[in-house]
Amino acid sequence: MVSTAGEALAAAQAGDDGAAISLLTTFVDTSPAGDVDGKELVLMLFRECSEMVAALGSGGATPVKMQVYDADGQEVSIDDADPPVRTAVRTLLAEVHGDQDAAREQIDIALSTAAPTEVAAVVMQALRWTIRLATECTNRDLPVAAWIEEALATDED
C-alpha cells in the first residue's frame, strides 16, 4: 500500500493526476479478496499530513492556519467550499486533533455518497497536501516519512 501511495505521490508531483488516481484505484480494485480498503489508503495519506502539520506547528505550540479557496481564488469558509474540499479539510482537521473516528467517518461518507469524481478530488487533495507539506517540512529540516521523501525524490532525478 505504501509503495503504491508513493507512486501516486510521484505521479501527482509530476502533474499527472489521472495516473495518480489510476494507480490508487487499480491497487484497491485488484487486491485479492478485499485485502486493501481504499478508505485505509486515503486515511494513511491524511495521517501523514497530520504528522507534518504537527511538525510544522511545533507539536501544537504554534498554530497552523488552513485556508480554503474557491475556483476564483477567493478565500472561503470550510462550509462554503466544494464538497470534496470540505471533506478533505474536515478529515485533516480530525486527524490533526487526534480524532481518527471522525476522520474515518468523513471518508466513509465521501466513499459511500459522493460521485466518483468527488472521491477522486478528495484523494487528489490528500496527495497535493502531502506533497506541499513534505516540501515545507523538508525546507525547514522537519521530519517527513521516509516513504514520502523517497517518492518525491524520484521526480527530482
Side-chain angles (χ1 to χ4, degrees):
M1 182 163 69
V2 169
S3 90
T4 300
E7 290 175 34
L9 277 172
Q13 184 180 38
D16 194 347
D17 294 358
I21 294 297
S22 180
L23 281 162
L24 296 176
T25 55
T26 300
F27 181 71
V28 170
D29 291 345
T30 60
S31 71
D35 287 347
V36 175
D37 185 345
K39 172 177 43 184
E40 294 307 319
L41 191 63
V42 174
L43 285 169
M44 178 183 72
L45 290 169
F46 280 110
R47 275 191 295 276
E48 292 293 351
C49 287
S50 172
E51 291 294 321
M52 291 183 283
V53 166
L56 287 165
S58 304
T62 306
V64 175
K65 182 179 180 183
M66 291 191 67
Q67 296 171 292
V68 179
Y69 298 93
D70 64 15
D72 298 324
Q74 300 297 314
E75 188 172 0
V76 297
S77 75
I78 292 171
D79 293 331
D80 293 332
D82 290 336
V85 174
R86 195 168 48 234
T87 297
V89 170
R90 287 181 176 155
T91 303
L92 180 56
L93 287 172
E95 284 288 347
V96 166
H97 292 288
D99 191 346
Q100 285 86 18
D101 290 338
R104 182 174 303 281
E105 183 178 309
Q106 288 296 317
I107 297 303
D108 282 342
I109 292 167
L111 293 178
S112 65
T113 63
T117 55
E118 290 178 327
V119 173
V122 170
V123 173
M124 282 311 304
Q125 191 66 58
L127 290 169
R128 286 185 186 113
W129 282 343
T130 303
I131 293 165
R132 288 183 190 138
L133 289 165
T135 300
E136 191 60 33
C137 283
T138 299
N139 290 341
R140 296 182 188 194
D141 292 325
L142 295 170
V144 175
W147 71 270
I148 294 172
E149 285 183 331
E150 291 169 16
L152 299 179
T154 59
D155 193 52
E156 297 169 3
D157 295 337

